[in-house]
Amino acid sequence: EALWRRFKTAHDEVWPRCETYFAAEAAKRADNLTRKIALCEQVEALAESTAWIQTAEEIKRSQAEWKAVGQVSRGQEKAVWDRFRVACDRFFTRRHDDLVRRKAMWAENLAKKDELCAKAEALADSTDWDATAAEIKRLQTEWRAIGPVKKNRSDAIWQRFRGACDRFFTRYAQRHEIARG
């Protein structure tokens, strides 16, 4: 009994400080939950965006902020994390799928433009001036109708096509001298 009273007295002396500490921790966790829910809402609002680069940067900032926010109550941590992760995954999955589609389109466009380059190169040394000029102009129109290619390949394929066209039209401008000579 004496031991119990001694323990209870020590406990009663310390307990108000513990209650204050636990209340402060609960308030901090509640604030953290509010901040994480706000991050969830922010990323959910961005999940359908097609501004791929800007939105990816914003979501990455939100992910970094998520990591900086402290813990939330154990019963709520998994649910709020799953909500955040689903929104992030939704955007990044859509971005990945779009990139796969664009890469396929770029490859298809590159193949078409490569084929036009080969045709223009085959015509570059022709002396059938009017028919070749008309055909190269038709190829140029067709080139413009084809969509974009991957940026790191775009300039090279354009220079190749333009070089073949320029070679013919330079010769075309000099056709009278060529015919005499």
Side-chain angles (χ1 to χ4, degrees):
E1 183 68 26
L3 186 59
W4 170 250
R5 275 191 300 262
R6 184 175 161 203
F7 170 77
K8 182 72 169 134
T9 302
H11 173 270
D12 291 347
E13 189 178 310
V14 173
W15 185 245
R17 287 186 293 175
C18 291
E19 281 184 319
T20 303
Y21 172 77
F22 290 138
E25 283 296 307
K28 191 179 351 175
R29 287 176 188 254
D31 181 54
N32 290 345
L33 178 62
T34 302
R35 290 172 62 195
K36 285 188 175 188
I37 288 173
L39 287 171
C40 288
E41 291 168 352
Q42 183 181 24
V43 173
E44 287 167 345
L46 296 171
E48 297 302 318
S49 173
T50 55
W52 303 120
I53 296 170
Q54 178 186 359
T55 304
E57 292 303 317
E58 289 180 43
I59 290 177
K60 288 175 185 177
R61 279 192 296 276
S62 295
Q63 290 172 332
E65 188 177 337
W66 179 278
K67 291 176 183 177
V69 173
Q71 295 180 336
V72 301
S73 301
R74 285 187 187 183
Q76 299 166 323
E77 191 158 306
K78 182 172 177 7
V80 75
W81 166 247
D82 287 345
R83 180 179 172 188
F84 184 73
R85 192 186 79 241
V86 164
C88 292
D89 288 350
R90 171 80 180 126
F91 171 77
F92 286 112
T93 298
R94 289 180 52 253
R95 184 179 79 155
H96 174 75
D97 293 346
D98 179 70
L99 183 59
V100 167
R101 280 191 301 276
R102 281 188 293 142
K103 281 184 176 181
M105 178 192 65
W106 292 335
E108 184 179 317
N109 291 345
L110 180 62
K112 290 176 183 177
K113 288 183 176 189
D114 190 48
E115 185 179 320
L116 291 181
C117 286
K119 288 178 181 178
E121 289 165 346
L123 295 171
D125 293 322
S126 173
T127 54
D128 186 6
W129 302 115
D130 293 331
T132 303
E135 178 62 13
I136 288 185
K137 287 177 184 178
R138 188 193 67 74
L139 293 177
Q140 290 171 334
T141 301
E142 192 176 334
W143 179 280
R144 285 188 293 276
I146 296 171
V149 298
K150 193 172 183 179
K151 284 184 182 184
N152 65 354
R153 303 290 305 271
S154 180
D155 193 46
I157 194 78
W158 168 246
Q159 292 303 325
R160 180 179 166 204
F161 181 71
R162 184 172 174 199
C165 294
D166 287 351
R167 190 166 78 224
F168 172 77
F169 283 114
T170 298
R171 291 179 60 254
Y172 182 80
Q174 300 168 348
R175 68 187 177 278
H176 299 297
E177 290 85 31
I178 292 172
R180 278 186 244 142

